[in-house]
Amino acid sequence: MGFFHRHRGLTPYLLLAPGMLWLTLFFLVPLGFLAYQSLQSGSIDFGYSFTWAWSNYSDALRNYRGQFERSFLYAGIATLIALVVSYPVAYWIAFRGGRWKNLLLLFIVAPFFVTYLIRTLAWETILSDNGLVVRTLDHLHLLGVLGQNGRILSTGTAVVAGITYNFLPFMALPLYVSLEQIDETLIEAAEDLYASKWRAFWRVTFPLSLPGVVAGTLLTFIPAAGDFINAQLLGSPSTHMIGNVINSKYNDLIDYPAAAAMSFILMAIILAMVLLYARAVGTEKLTG
Amino acid sequence: MSTAEVTLPARRHRQSALARAWAFVKRHALTVYSLLFFAYLMLPIGVVIAFSFNNPKGRFNYTWQGFTFKNWQQWNAIPNLQSAITLSLEIALIASLVATALGTLIALALVRYGFRGRGSTNLLVFLPLSTPEIVLGASLATLFLNSTSLHFNIQFGFWTILVAHVMFCISFAVVTVKARLIGFDRHLEEAAMDLGANEWRTFQKVTLPLIAPAILAALLLCFAISIDDFVVTYFNAGSRVTFPIFVWGAARVATPPQINVIGTAIFAVAVTLMLGNVFLQRVRESKGAV
């Protein structure tokens, strides 16, 4: 260990080297290759070559505008529902969970232990045409609003329902973490100063939980916007998202440049939205 | 008149019962809501477990036909299912070990040392977490596809899947271990150094035992993420079939209930491990240890 003593400044770099090398070689460099691929033209039969083909980008936006819009619409709705639905539960676990906190958290992450594709297929059963959900919605006269032709499956509703469920733990966990860290005496102080319970919540608890709201929204929205499994298994071609197009271009049609261009547009839009959102909320703790 | 006299007390009684019920709901609204939420979370899991005992007539396992143990007894009766599970387990085991080792080293460097380039290191760890999986998968596949022009001839298969899984697991491992390192008392390490232990010995005897739970958590997390991954794997697997890829292929032509059997088994093992962890923590806390 004499070496480490003589070169103490080197130690952090030696610790970092293997992991950073891996991330550079298999994350950063591939992004460069994808960028290079996105500006190529040609065909699968004659091969692709680099020609600064910016038209890949404009074609993607022109031909698949609907899918792009749907991706962000579905992801946005699902994120909002997930936030509203899981906030009270995160609050309940954080403040009323007591000694059961860890067990309740286990319930929150339990869906993750069932293979993603299998739990999505389970939703196919739950939302099936003569199932309980469809019949209940029919009774409530909501089927016409949420479904199409008396069905929920293969509509946008089914896709949003699937996305919401599948990414829910990504929302609930960060919410719980930030709520759990709140000093309860602050809330008590607000109530001692005659704030109503409701007012104390909106003026003290909620602002203090904002880091969790931001983290949860991002962790839900980003994977949701790039998802294609829910749209594939629960939706129909008319509900396909940009992920479906990228997947079929890349894996079925072997149109790599188009798929690469769409991937970059997707990333750019997500990045822009994240930056705008972070600025709006004013949290600088994004990178932990 | 007389009817009013008879019904009045009864009505008052019912009102108070209703009022009491309303008061109960109001007081426990959050609890009632949370229990409903958990029911919603568990619903698809219940469906998966129930349909592993289904006896479907056709090729698809979407409607209930009758109860049977057959699927559990002949869990590997479907061609290629067993080899898909074996591959998934192998990849998850190796990938979680490698990613946790690399991630722990990065976390140590980030928390314990001040050095030039800390910001960009943080960024490089954070970026894969905020990149959609489909972009991770497509870009890595593009690297492998173009490897021939760089005079490497990389074939898609076991190694490309493994490389991909380690790549997206590292960041999760860093985040998990980092959280624990930030949380613990540095005086313990300083005390060991003051008592004459060198850096390596301090790490071995003090730091490592303290962060061991976090390392174990990172291992489990990486294993779970790896064994569940479909998107990145699908882009980089070539003709190899992992369990999620098997399910994907099956969903198009036929869904044998054995898929649910495996899904249930993975769920049961994971929940048992996590319950064990919760229980251990409870025991440790009651003993008053750190």
Side-chain angles (χ1 to χ4, degrees), chain A residues 219-232:
Chain A
L219 283 175
T220 312
F221 183 80
I222 294 171
D227 183 78
F228 66 93
I229 292 170
N230 290 284
Q232 188 85 41

Side-chain angles (χ1 to χ4, degrees), chain B residues 104-120:
Chain B
T104 304
L105 294 180
I106 295 176
L108 278 169
L110 282 175
V111 179
R112 281 289 172 272
Y113 298 89
F115 56 92
R116 217 180 250 270
R118 224 166 146 258
S120 37

Side-chain angles (χ1 to χ4, degrees), chain A residues 72 75-76 78-84 87 170-171 174-175 178 206-207 209-222 268-287, chain B residues 126 130:
Chain A
F72 292 106
T79 307
L80 203 62
I81 297 177
L83 176 64
V84 173
Y87 196 100
F170 282 135
M171 179 64 85
L175 284 178
S178 66
F206 186 74
S209 70
L210 267 184
V213 175
V214 173
T217 330
L218 292 179
L219 283 175
T220 312
F221 183 80
I222 294 171
I269 299 178
I270 287 179
L271 200 66
M273 293 178 97
V274 168
L275 288 177
L276 274 177
Y277 179 67
R279 174 173 280 189
V281 184
T283 307
E284 286 155 355
K285 285 184 171 174
L286 281 184
T287 52
Chain B
F126 174 72
S130 56

